[in-house]
């Protein structure tokens, strides 16, 4: 069977994308240069929209127990999430290794191969596909696929091989991160600012573990991560805090900096980028991981539809059109938050003004939408309904004709579009959508009476959870919206992809 897509990189983004493509019927293989998962915690959770993205596929429960963050902050300026109508809290203290393990286990259940110890060294596009050159345990090999997606991090080999340019912001300061055991430190979960533009962070992880981050303004931004030693980290911590941690054991360490990069194109021909390969930024509150999971949800169904043969011609190009601006905003917001977070006393007046602003619900809601990802909206057609182009609240419940209740998130488990027609509709929407029943699900019922927010009589939800059409509220006919996102009825479905 021909390989439809090769994904390079078995981090959370690559694994999530593989799940999405498999749901769309694509034959997919994942390559990763590491012989085994690193086990490093890296990102400690993700934001609300990333959690919703996992929930839409029934994956969130597979992470086991975790905690939600009741408070929000932007660059260390706190705001109360409780004043907002919607829940913007994110997942805290969850090791990235657990997220990777859950996704890898899901792929194993689905029979999707993850080939480790395979380092991609080149990508060559041909008229009907791509050729990926790899260094494997048995030697150099070549593999063919219809498309390749680089999920291989900020120094992406795929991006370089495709000659996709990237706008870069050079590093100006360095930082150390380490995960420790054998020591108890005072928690500083969102950071403790120190004179001179320095900061230390200590996040308890349970079971005698903690994560520390040293933001020493004097650290070189160009250190070799492989040369970092724990005595260097311990010395830097002692310099800023006076606390001796040399007796602790470091489970892993990382030297990084505040460099950033944004790919100029998320798609060039048969090569696509997602996650840090598309938008690299300094580590900050798992924003990059959260955005990468949403890249995967946006791209997966579109690429699967393209390979299946029913996607409208423009569909795959909407991946760049929708997600590239989000990448731009992500880097801008991260840089603004970092200035507030790590700036010295000169930033205190700005922190004070922002602190007063976020006491007001509208200002707090704007910042919460940035941090949580719930503020993301796409141009999905003309209309005035507040949900149009925004994510459909996945917790909203529908009472089905048989009396059972189901959440919107559960309706999206199959990664198909969903038309929801409630009792307020006249039945016309459900009838019109029948011609697309091979690629969308048509669901009827009544919105639960305890739901909050605007409830359209009928709503078309894309597989990634975003609202493409509502009645009332859209200026586009339903058949136009269905054709725009789900192609011509009766389109053929090629096999072997």
């Amino acid at each position: 069977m021909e390989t439809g897509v090769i994904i390079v990189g078995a981090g959370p983004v690559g694994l999530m994308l593989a799940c999405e493509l498999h749901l769309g019927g694509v034959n997919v293989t994942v390559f990763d240069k590491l012989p085994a998962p690193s086990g490093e915690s890296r990102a400690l959770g993700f934001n609300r929209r990333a959690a919703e993205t996992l929930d839409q596929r029934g994956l969130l429960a597979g992470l086991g127990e975790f905690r939600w963050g009741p408070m929000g902050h932007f660059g260390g300026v706190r705001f109360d999430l409780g004043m907002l109508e919607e829940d913007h809290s994110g997942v805290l203290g969850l090791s990235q290794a657990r997220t990777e393990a859950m996704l890898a286990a899901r792929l194993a259940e689905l029979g999707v191969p993850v080939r480790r110890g395979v380092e991609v060294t080149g990508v060559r596009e041909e008229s009907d596909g791509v050729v990926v050159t790899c260094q494997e345990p048995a030697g150099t090999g070549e593999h063919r696929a219809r498309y390749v997606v680089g999920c291989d991090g900020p120094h992406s080999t795929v991006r370089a091989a495709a000659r996709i340019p990237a706008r870069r912001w050079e590093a100006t300061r360095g930082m150390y991160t380490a995960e420790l055991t054998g020591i108890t430190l005072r928690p500083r979960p969102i950071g403790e600012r120190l004179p001179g533009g320095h900061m230390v962070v200590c996040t308890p992880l349970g079971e005698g573990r903690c994560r520390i981050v040293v933001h020493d303004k004097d650290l070189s931004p160009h250190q070799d991560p492989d040369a970092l030693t724990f005595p260097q980290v311990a010395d830097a911590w002692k310099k800023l805090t006076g606390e001796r941690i040399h007796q602790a054991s470091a489970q892993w360490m990382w030297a990084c900096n505040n460099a950033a990069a944004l790919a100029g194109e998320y798609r060039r021909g048969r090569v696509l980028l997602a996650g840090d390969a598309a938008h690299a930024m300094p580590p900050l509150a798992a924003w990059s991981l959260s955005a990468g999971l949403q890249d995967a949800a946006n791209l997966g169904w579109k690429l699967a539809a393209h390979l299946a043969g029913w996607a409208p011609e423009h569909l795959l190009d909407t991946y760049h059109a929708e997600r590239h601006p989000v990448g731009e905003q992500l880097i801008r917001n991260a840089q603004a938050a970092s200035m507030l977070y790590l700036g010295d006393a000169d930033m205190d007046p700005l922190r004070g003004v922002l602190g007063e602003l976020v006491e007001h619900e509208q200002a707090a809601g704007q910042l919460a939408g940035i941090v949580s990802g719930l503020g993301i909206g796409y141009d999905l057609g003309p209309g005035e309904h507040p949900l149009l182009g925004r994510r459909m609240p996945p917790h909203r419940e529908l009472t089905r004709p048989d009396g059972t209740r189901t959440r919107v998130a559960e309706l999206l488990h199959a990664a198909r579009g969903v038309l929801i027609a409630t009792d307020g509709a006249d039945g016309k929407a459900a009838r019109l959508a029948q011609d697309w029943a091979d690629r969308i699900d048509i669901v009827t019922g009544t919105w639960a009476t305890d739901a909050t927010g605007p409830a359209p009589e009928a709503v078309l939800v894309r597989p990634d959870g975003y609202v493409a059409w509502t009645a009332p509220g859209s200026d586009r006919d339903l058949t136009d919206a269905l054709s725009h996102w789900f192609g011509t009825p009766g389109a053929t479905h090629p096999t072997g992809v």
Side-chain angles (χ1 to χ4, degrees), residues 297-329:
N298 188 288
L299 172 60
W301 73 275
K302 296 173 180 177
L303 184 51
H306 180 78
L307 288 168
W310 57 256
E313 185 176 349
H314 68 278
L315 184 63
L316 195 52
D317 288 331
T318 67
Y319 171 60
H320 171 89
E322 292 176 358
R323 295 303 298 174
H324 189 267
V326 174
E328 287 183 309
Q329 293 166 8

mmCIF file of all heavy atoms in Angstrom, residues 297-329:
data_model
loop_
_atom_site.group_PDB
_atom_site.id
_atom_site.type_symbol
_atom_site.label_atom_id
_atom_site.label_comp_id
_atom_site.label_asym_id
_atom_site.label_seq_id
_atom_site.Cartn_x
_atom_site.Cartn_y
_atom_site.Cartn_z
ATOM 1 N N ALA A 297 -4.652 19.486 14.497
ATOM 2 C CA ALA A 297 -6.098 19.348 14.315
ATOM 3 C C ALA A 297 -6.579 20.110 13.092
ATOM 4 O O ALA A 297 -7.514 19.685 12.411
ATOM 5 C CB ALA A 297 -6.831 19.833 15.567
ATOM 6 N N ASN A 298 -5.953 21.250 12.799
ATOM 7 C CA ASN A 298 -6.341 22.043 11.638
ATOM 8 C C ASN A 298 -5.904 21.372 10.347
ATOM 9 O O ASN A 298 -6.651 21.309 9.356
ATOM 10 C CB ASN A 298 -5.723 23.436 11.749
ATOM 11 C CG ASN A 298 -6.216 24.399 10.677
ATOM 12 O OD1 ASN A 298 -5.862 24.277 9.513
ATOM 13 N ND2 ASN A 298 -7.033 25.355 11.071
ATOM 14 N N LEU A 299 -4.686 20.832 10.343
ATOM 15 C CA LEU A 299 -4.130 20.253 9.126
ATOM 16 C C LEU A 299 -4.655 18.854 8.837
ATOM 17 O O LEU A 299 -4.901 18.508 7.672
ATOM 18 C CB LEU A 299 -2.602 20.212 9.231
ATOM 19 C CG LEU A 299 -1.843 19.465 8.129
ATOM 20 C CD1 LEU A 299 -2.118 20.103 6.763
ATOM 21 C CD2 LEU A 299 -0.352 19.453 8.423
ATOM 22 N N GLY A 300 -4.828 18.037 9.868
ATOM 23 C CA GLY A 300 -5.093 16.618 9.660
ATOM 24 C C GLY A 300 -6.281 16.331 8.764
ATOM 25 O O GLY A 300 -6.174 15.581 7.782
ATOM 26 N N TRP A 301 -7.420 16.914 9.066
ATOM 27 C CA TRP A 301 -8.624 16.591 8.283
ATOM 28 C C TRP A 301 -8.544 17.150 6.868
ATOM 29 O O TRP A 301 -9.067 16.552 5.917
ATOM 30 C CB TRP A 301 -9.878 17.083 9.004
ATOM 31 C CG TRP A 301 -10.105 18.572 8.997
ATOM 32 C CD1 TRP A 301 -9.592 19.482 9.866
ATOM 33 C CD2 TRP A 301 -10.948 19.314 8.107
ATOM 34 N NE1 TRP A 301 -10.042 20.749 9.568
ATOM 35 C CE2 TRP A 301 -10.876 20.677 8.502
ATOM 36 C CE3 TRP A 301 -11.746 18.968 7.021
ATOM 37 C CZ2 TRP A 301 -11.583 21.677 7.843
ATOM 38 C CZ3 TRP A 301 -12.447 19.968 6.354
ATOM 39 C CH2 TRP A 301 -12.363 21.303 6.776
ATOM 40 N N LYS A 302 -7.838 18.283 6.719
ATOM 41 C CA LYS A 302 -7.725 18.888 5.390
ATOM 42 C C LYS A 302 -6.823 18.051 4.485
ATOM 43 O O LYS A 302 -7.152 17.812 3.310
ATOM 44 C CB LYS A 302 -7.183 20.313 5.518
ATOM 45 C CG LYS A 302 -8.113 21.256 6.264
ATOM 46 C CD LYS A 302 -7.473 22.609 6.512
ATOM 47 C CE LYS A 302 -8.423 23.534 7.270
ATOM 48 N NZ LYS A 302 -7.803 24.846 7.584
ATOM 49 N N LEU A 303 -5.692 17.607 5.004
ATOM 50 C CA LEU A 303 -4.798 16.781 4.210
ATOM 51 C C LEU A 303 -5.428 15.426 3.911
ATOM 52 O O LEU A 303 -5.309 14.901 2.793
ATOM 53 C CB LEU A 303 -3.468 16.599 4.950
ATOM 54 C CG LEU A 303 -2.357 15.832 4.225
ATOM 55 C CD1 LEU A 303 -2.115 16.379 2.827
ATOM 56 C CD2 LEU A 303 -1.066 15.863 5.052
ATOM 57 N N ALA A 304 -6.153 14.869 4.883
ATOM 58 C CA ALA A 304 -6.851 13.597 4.654
ATOM 59 C C ALA A 304 -7.915 13.765 3.570
ATOM 60 O O ALA A 304 -8.064 12.902 2.695
ATOM 61 C CB ALA A 304 -7.481 13.100 5.954
ATOM 62 N N ALA A 305 -8.659 14.864 3.595
ATOM 63 C CA ALA A 305 -9.682 15.111 2.574
ATOM 64 C C ALA A 305 -9.057 15.278 1.200
ATOM 65 O O ALA A 305 -9.587 14.799 0.192
ATOM 66 C CB ALA A 305 -10.488 16.358 2.943
ATOM 67 N N HIS A 306 -7.918 15.953 1.169
ATOM 68 C CA HIS A 306 -7.221 16.141 -0.115
ATOM 69 C C HIS A 306 -6.793 14.794 -0.694
ATOM 70 O O HIS A 306 -6.980 14.529 -1.890
ATOM 71 C CB HIS A 306 -6.011 17.043 0.111
ATOM 72 C CG HIS A 306 -5.212 17.313 -1.111
ATOM 73 N ND1 HIS A 306 -5.599 18.222 -2.066
ATOM 74 C CD2 HIS A 306 -4.043 16.793 -1.545
ATOM 75 C CE1 HIS A 306 -4.705 18.257 -3.041
ATOM 76 N NE2 HIS A 306 -3.752 17.386 -2.750
ATOM 77 N N LEU A 307 -6.240 13.937 0.131
ATOM 78 C CA LEU A 307 -5.801 12.623 -0.335
ATOM 79 C C LEU A 307 -6.979 11.721 -0.684
ATOM 80 O O LEU A 307 -6.870 10.857 -1.551
ATOM 81 C CB LEU A 307 -4.928 11.966 0.730
ATOM 82 C CG LEU A 307 -3.535 12.591 0.893
ATOM 83 C CD1 LEU A 307 -2.856 12.078 2.150
ATOM 84 C CD2 LEU A 307 -2.678 12.305 -0.325
ATOM 85 N N ALA A 308 -8.117 11.928 -0.013
ATOM 86 C CA ALA A 308 -9.302 11.117 -0.311
ATOM 87 C C ALA A 308 -9.971 11.523 -1.616
ATOM 88 O O ALA A 308 -10.772 10.765 -2.162
ATOM 89 C CB ALA A 308 -10.301 11.210 0.841
ATOM 90 N N GLY A 309 -9.666 12.718 -2.111
ATOM 91 C CA GLY A 309 -10.186 13.129 -3.399
ATOM 92 C C GLY A 309 -11.420 13.993 -3.373
ATOM 93 O O GLY A 309 -11.877 14.433 -4.424
ATOM 94 N N TRP A 310 -11.968 14.277 -2.173
ATOM 95 C CA TRP A 310 -13.197 15.080 -2.159
ATOM 96 C C TRP A 310 -12.975 16.523 -1.705
ATOM 97 O O TRP A 310 -13.908 17.331 -1.706
ATOM 98 C CB TRP A 310 -14.273 14.431 -1.306
ATOM 99 C CG TRP A 310 -13.951 14.125 0.145
ATOM 100 C CD1 TRP A 310 -13.674 12.901 0.658
ATOM 101 C CD2 TRP A 310 -13.940 15.040 1.245
ATOM 102 N NE1 TRP A 310 -13.479 12.989 2.021
ATOM 103 C CE2 TRP A 310 -13.643 14.293 2.409
ATOM 104 C CE3 TRP A 310 -14.159 16.414 1.381
ATOM 105 C CZ2 TRP A 310 -13.537 14.866 3.677
ATOM 106 C CZ3 TRP A 310 -14.055 16.994 2.643
ATOM 107 C CH2 TRP A 310 -13.760 16.228 3.775
ATOM 108 N N ALA A 311 -11.767 16.889 -1.322
ATOM 109 C CA ALA A 311 -11.525 18.248 -0.839
ATOM 110 C C ALA A 311 -11.651 19.255 -1.968
ATOM 111 O O ALA A 311 -11.187 19.004 -3.090
ATOM 112 C CB ALA A 311 -10.135 18.346 -0.228
ATOM 113 N N PRO A 312 -12.269 20.404 -1.723
ATOM 114 C CA PRO A 312 -12.224 21.471 -2.723
ATOM 115 C C PRO A 312 -10.777 21.903 -2.938
ATOM 116 O O PRO A 312 -9.911 21.724 -2.073
ATOM 117 C CB PRO A 312 -13.074 22.587 -2.098
ATOM 118 C CG PRO A 312 -13.163 22.256 -0.646
ATOM 119 C CD PRO A 312 -13.028 20.779 -0.517
ATOM 120 N N GLU A 313 -10.495 22.475 -4.091
ATOM 121 C CA GLU A 313 -9.114 22.748 -4.508
ATOM 122 C C GLU A 313 -8.365 23.619 -3.515
ATOM 123 O O GLU A 313 -7.165 23.444 -3.292
ATOM 124 C CB GLU A 313 -9.129 23.414 -5.889
ATOM 125 C CG GLU A 313 -7.750 23.633 -6.482
ATOM 126 C CD GLU A 313 -7.821 24.195 -7.885
ATOM 127 O OE1 GLU A 313 -8.922 24.211 -8.468
ATOM 128 O OE2 GLU A 313 -6.769 24.619 -8.392
ATOM 129 N N HIS A 314 -9.062 24.550 -2.881
ATOM 130 C CA HIS A 314 -8.402 25.519 -2.014
ATOM 131 C C HIS A 314 -8.174 24.997 -0.595
ATOM 132 O O HIS A 314 -7.475 25.636 0.190
ATOM 133 C CB HIS A 314 -9.262 26.779 -1.906
ATOM 134 C CG HIS A 314 -10.540 26.534 -1.151
ATOM 135 N ND1 HIS A 314 -11.655 25.988 -1.760
ATOM 136 C CD2 HIS A 314 -10.856 26.690 0.156
ATOM 137 C CE1 HIS A 314 -12.611 25.850 -0.846
ATOM 138 N NE2 HIS A 314 -12.143 26.254 0.315
ATOM 139 N N LEU A 315 -8.759 23.871 -0.234
ATOM 140 C CA LEU A 315 -8.847 23.484 1.180
ATOM 141 C C LEU A 315 -7.475 23.369 1.832
ATOM 142 O O LEU A 315 -7.259 23.897 2.936
ATOM 143 C CB LEU A 315 -9.608 22.161 1.323
ATOM 144 C CG LEU A 315 -9.841 21.710 2.783
ATOM 145 C CD1 LEU A 315 -10.721 22.704 3.530
ATOM 146 C CD2 LEU A 315 -10.462 20.316 2.817
ATOM 147 N N LEU A 316 -6.534 22.694 1.209
ATOM 148 C CA LEU A 316 -5.242 22.482 1.848
ATOM 149 C C LEU A 316 -4.501 23.801 2.054
ATOM 150 O O LEU A 316 -3.744 23.947 3.020
ATOM 151 C CB LEU A 316 -4.405 21.511 1.011
ATOM 152 C CG LEU A 316 -3.178 20.896 1.688
ATOM 153 C CD1 LEU A 316 -3.534 20.266 3.030
ATOM 154 C CD2 LEU A 316 -2.536 19.864 0.768
ATOM 155 N N ASP A 317 -4.737 24.772 1.176
ATOM 156 C CA ASP A 317 -4.079 26.072 1.337
ATOM 157 C C ASP A 317 -4.626 26.852 2.525
ATOM 158 O O ASP A 317 -3.963 27.785 3.012
ATOM 159 C CB ASP A 317 -4.231 26.904 0.063
ATOM 160 C CG ASP A 317 -3.371 26.369 -1.070
ATOM 161 O OD1 ASP A 317 -2.312 25.784 -0.785
ATOM 162 O OD2 ASP A 317 -3.775 26.526 -2.244
ATOM 163 N N THR A 318 -5.828 26.510 3.003
ATOM 164 C CA THR A 318 -6.361 27.227 4.167
ATOM 165 C C THR A 318 -5.585 26.891 5.433
ATOM 166 O O THR A 318 -5.693 27.616 6.424
ATOM 167 C CB THR A 318 -7.854 26.918 4.400
ATOM 168 O OG1 THR A 318 -8.019 25.544 4.779
ATOM 169 C CG2 THR A 318 -8.686 27.227 3.171
ATOM 170 N N TYR A 319 -4.794 25.816 5.421
ATOM 171 C CA TYR A 319 -3.970 25.520 6.599
ATOM 172 C C TYR A 319 -3.009 26.672 6.870
ATOM 173 O O TYR A 319 -2.943 27.204 7.984
ATOM 174 C CB TYR A 319 -3.215 24.207 6.397
ATOM 175 C CG TYR A 319 -2.172 23.947 7.467
ATOM 176 C CD1 TYR A 319 -2.529 23.849 8.810
ATOM 177 C CD2 TYR A 319 -0.829 23.818 7.133
ATOM 178 C CE1 TYR A 319 -1.572 23.627 9.797
ATOM 179 C CE2 TYR A 319 0.129 23.595 8.111
ATOM 180 C CZ TYR A 319 -0.249 23.504 9.442
ATOM 181 O OH TYR A 319 0.700 23.286 10.412
ATOM 182 N N HIS A 320 -2.252 27.076 5.851
ATOM 183 C CA HIS A 320 -1.337 28.218 6.025
ATOM 184 C C HIS A 320 -2.125 29.495 6.299
ATOM 185 O O HIS A 320 -1.762 30.274 7.189
ATOM 186 C CB HIS A 320 -0.476 28.417 4.783
ATOM 187 C CG HIS A 320 0.323 29.695 4.800
ATOM 188 N ND1 HIS A 320 1.582 29.780 5.344
ATOM 189 C CD2 HIS A 320 0.017 30.953 4.366
ATOM 190 C CE1 HIS A 320 2.024 31.020 5.241
ATOM 191 N NE2 HIS A 320 1.086 31.744 4.642
ATOM 192 N N ALA A 321 -3.196 29.709 5.541
ATOM 193 C CA ALA A 321 -3.960 30.955 5.676
ATOM 194 C C ALA A 321 -4.510 31.126 7.084
ATOM 195 O O ALA A 321 -4.576 32.253 7.598
ATOM 196 C CB ALA A 321 -5.094 30.980 4.655
ATOM 197 N N GLU A 322 -4.896 30.035 7.737
ATOM 198 C CA GLU A 322 -5.475 30.131 9.067
ATOM 199 C C GLU A 322 -4.434 30.065 10.173
ATOM 200 O O GLU A 322 -4.515 30.791 11.167
ATOM 201 C CB GLU A 322 -6.507 29.014 9.266
ATOM 202 C CG GLU A 322 -7.740 29.192 8.403
ATOM 203 C CD GLU A 322 -8.731 28.043 8.528
ATOM 204 O OE1 GLU A 322 -8.455 27.073 9.264
ATOM 205 O OE2 GLU A 322 -9.790 28.121 7.882
ATOM 206 N N ARG A 323 -3.432 29.203 10.038
ATOM 207 C CA ARG A 323 -2.516 28.969 11.152
ATOM 208 C C ARG A 323 -1.290 29.879 11.136
ATOM 209 O O ARG A 323 -0.714 30.134 12.204
ATOM 210 C CB ARG A 323 -2.068 27.505 11.153
ATOM 211 C CG ARG A 323 -3.189 26.517 11.424
ATOM 212 C CD ARG A 323 -3.899 26.774 12.745
ATOM 213 N NE ARG A 323 -2.993 26.640 13.888
ATOM 214 C CZ ARG A 323 -3.332 26.933 15.134
ATOM 215 N NH1 ARG A 323 -4.544 27.413 15.417
ATOM 216 N NH2 ARG A 323 -2.461 26.773 16.114
ATOM 217 N N HIS A 324 -0.867 30.378 9.977
ATOM 218 C CA HIS A 324 0.291 31.276 9.960
ATOM 219 C C HIS A 324 0.036 32.553 10.759
ATOM 220 O O HIS A 324 0.901 32.967 11.556
ATOM 221 C CB HIS A 324 0.690 31.603 8.513
ATOM 222 C CG HIS A 324 1.992 32.339 8.404
ATOM 223 N ND1 HIS A 324 2.064 33.713 8.361
ATOM 224 C CD2 HIS A 324 3.282 31.893 8.343
ATOM 225 C CE1 HIS A 324 3.322 34.087 8.272
ATOM 226 N NE2 HIS A 324 4.088 33.014 8.255
ATOM 227 N N PRO A 325 -1.118 33.218 10.620
ATOM 228 C CA PRO A 325 -1.372 34.386 11.479
ATOM 229 C C PRO A 325 -1.371 34.037 12.964
ATOM 230 O O PRO A 325 -0.954 34.853 13.796
ATOM 231 C CB PRO A 325 -2.751 34.873 11.012
ATOM 232 C CG PRO A 325 -2.893 34.365 9.629
ATOM 233 C CD PRO A 325 -2.198 33.039 9.620
ATOM 234 N N VAL A 326 -1.841 32.834 13.309
ATOM 235 C CA VAL A 326 -1.796 32.411 14.709
ATOM 236 C C VAL A 326 -0.347 32.288 15.171
ATOM 237 O O VAL A 326 0.000 32.671 16.291
ATOM 238 C CB VAL A 326 -2.550 31.077 14.897
ATOM 239 C CG1 VAL A 326 -2.376 30.546 16.318
ATOM 240 C CG2 VAL A 326 -4.031 31.264 14.594
ATOM 241 N N GLY A 327 0.522 31.761 14.306
ATOM 242 C CA GLY A 327 1.943 31.684 14.640
ATOM 243 C C GLY A 327 2.555 33.061 14.851
ATOM 244 O O GLY A 327 3.356 33.260 15.780
ATOM 245 N N GLU A 328 2.198 34.017 13.999
ATOM 246 C CA GLU A 328 2.679 35.393 14.174
ATOM 247 C C GLU A 328 2.244 35.957 15.513
ATOM 248 O O GLU A 328 3.041 36.558 16.254
ATOM 249 C CB GLU A 328 2.149 36.278 13.046
ATOM 250 C CG GLU A 328 2.796 36.047 11.700
ATOM 251 C CD GLU A 328 2.275 37.011 10.662
ATOM 252 O OE1 GLU A 328 1.047 37.134 10.509
ATOM 253 O OE2 GLU A 328 3.109 37.655 9.992
ATOM 254 N N GLN A 329 0.963 35.772 15.844
ATOM 255 C CA GLN A 329 0.443 36.276 17.112
ATOM 256 C C GLN A 329 1.103 35.576 18.294
ATOM 257 O O GLN A 329 1.389 36.196 19.326
ATOM 258 C CB GLN A 329 -1.071 36.091 17.165
ATOM 259 C CG GLN A 329 -1.826 36.938 16.165
ATOM 260 C CD GLN A 329 -3.273 36.493 15.998
ATOM 261 O OE1 GLN A 329 -3.766 35.643 16.725
ATOM 262 N NE2 GLN A 329 -3.955 37.075 15.018
#
